Amino acid sequence: MINGSIVALITPLNSDGSVDYKSLEKLVEYHITEGTDAIVAVGTTGESATLPISEHIEVVAHTVKFASGRIPVIGGNGANATAEAVELTKAQNDLGVAAMLGVTPYYNKPSPKGLIAHYKAVAQSTDIPQILYNVPGRTTVDMLPETVAELVNVPNIIGVKEATGDVSRVKRLRELCGEDFLLYSGDDATAREFLSLGGNGVISVANNIVPKQFKLMCDAAIKGDLQTAMAAEDSIKGLFSALFCEANPIPVKWAVHRMGLISHGDIRLPLTELSTEFHGLLLDAMKNARIEVK
């Protein structure tokens, strides 16, 4: 069972657009040292939409290699075509990932029936635990709790990443899916409340730059220590909006580079580097969170 503070890790790139594996290894070590509970490799924040399948698998494989069993790695396996999602899943079967995270098919706007058929097909192509991922703000399809409940009895579907920001869904999901089904927040701004209401963990963007503080918040919220959780949240909550001043992962990648954790801040088209008009906003939020900038 993977609980707590989980980082949606960025994928560092060299200035020529190739993956910077040296910086990736540095990031993995950083999160192990800072106490992060697990890593998601090549999810939305890892620029999964612009990595071809071969490169996607290479990044997951290197992340597992660098982690060397010291921290669980969750591999992204989402796609808007079910056949491609199955291909990504099968390609990760022998990599050593602890689980996989599959976003709802984007652009196609599948019905609940289509979502159920999609996730069953993916789950049946592997024995590795699968985590559903609902983020309608990016995919245009909202996988409602009632749809999730239809997938609970698939043996290796173990949980859902819920990124609507609607914390009322925690109660409904728990009622429909049971106590053993894992509920992860995918929204930093409501993560503390999500955990306090019975969530199991957070797959976070902000965790890329404040892993120690984020873990403190998560651990305290899960334990019911509201005072500690709120104090930890207060120290970093300015980042929760600043890191979305432009499309994720543009701001967080810029911030990680300014911290000196990666050699380059490059990002793949059609996304472009952070607009200069937002530099001050993000630097102020980082300063308030006591992040050292180089």
Side-chain angles (χ1 to χ4, degrees):
M1 183 180 291
I2 301 171
N3 291 328
S5 179
I6 304 163
V7 62
L9 195 68
I10 64 165
T11 299
L13 302 175
N14 293 305
S15 55
D16 63 0
S18 62
V19 176
D20 179 0
Y21 288 108
K22 184 176 181 180
S23 288
L24 179 61
E25 182 173 14
K26 184 177 179 180
L27 289 176
V28 171
E29 292 297 331
Y30 173 66
H31 283 284
I32 291 171
T33 299
E34 294 294 291
T36 298
D37 292 303
I39 291 171
V40 170
V42 202
T44 303
T45 308
E47 297 180 69
S48 58
T50 56
L51 270 66
I53 289 177
S54 59
E55 195 173 38
H56 183 126
I57 299 305
E58 277 294 306
V59 173
V60 175
H62 275 81
T63 305
V64 172
K65 176 185 175 183
F66 296 148
S68 190
R70 295 171 294 165
I71 185 172
V73 175
I74 301 167
N77 67 334
N80 70 325
T82 302
E84 184 176 329
V86 168
E87 183 179 355
L88 280 167
T89 301
K90 288 181 175 179
Q92 295 182 62
N93 276 338
D94 299 322
L95 295 185
V97 295
M100 298 183 206
L101 176 70
V103 71
T104 54
Y106 42 88
Y107 188 78
N108 300 319
K109 297 186 178 181
S111 66
K113 181 180 178 181
L115 289 171
I116 291 167
H118 169 84
Y119 279 115
K120 282 184 176 179
V122 172
Q124 288 166 2
S125 70
T126 184
D127 293 327
I128 294 173
Q130 300 293 301
I131 301 169
L132 315 175
Y133 177 13
N134 185 41
V135 56
R138 297 193 76 123
T139 66
T140 74
V141 60
D142 187 1
M143 184 166 54
L144 298 174
E146 290 75 14
T147 304
V148 175
E150 292 292 322
L151 293 162
V152 169
N153 291 326
V154 178
N156 58 333
I157 293 180
I158 62 167
V160 62
K161 176 184 175 183
E162 172 59 46
T164 61
D166 180 3
V167 294
S168 69
R169 291 197 178 189
V170 179
K171 181 179 179 182
R172 184 63 175 155
L173 284 163
R174 191 59 77 203
E175 290 173 346
L176 291 171
C177 301
E179 291 300 317
D180 293 333
F181 197 70
L182 299 172
L183 304 182
Y184 300 105
S185 169
D187 179 63
D188 287 342
T190 56
R192 192 265 308 159
E193 187 176 2
F194 186 101
L195 294 175
S196 296
L197 291 170
N200 299 97
V202 184
I203 299 174
S204 165
V205 175
N207 197 350
N208 277 279
I209 59 175
V210 282
K212 189 172 290 185
Q213 299 97 310
F214 205 88
K215 178 172 171 56
L216 177 61
M217 181 191 77
C218 290
D219 288 351
I222 290 171
K223 292 175 183 176
D225 183 353
L226 184 60
Q227 184 176 358
T228 300
M230 291 184 70
E233 180 187 47
D234 285 344
S235 71
I236 58 176
K237 67 181 180 181
L239 293 168
F240 299 160
S241 58
L243 287 173
F244 290 88
C245 61
E246 287 194 314
N248 179 49
I250 293 172
V252 70
K253 205 163 198 184
W254 184 88
V256 173
H257 181 232
R258 288 301 302 263
M259 292 171 68
L261 293 173
I262 58 177
S263 300
H264 306 278
D266 293 77
I267 196 161
R268 285 202 177 156
L269 290 170
L271 299 184
T272 55
E273 291 186 21
L274 185 68
S275 301
T276 55
E277 64 185 285
F278 295 118
H279 288 192
L281 171 71
L282 192 46
L283 284 171
D284 285 345
M286 293 170 73
K287 180 180 178 181
N288 290 337
R290 298 183 179 178
I291 297 171
E292 292 186 13
V293 177
K294 296 183 179 179

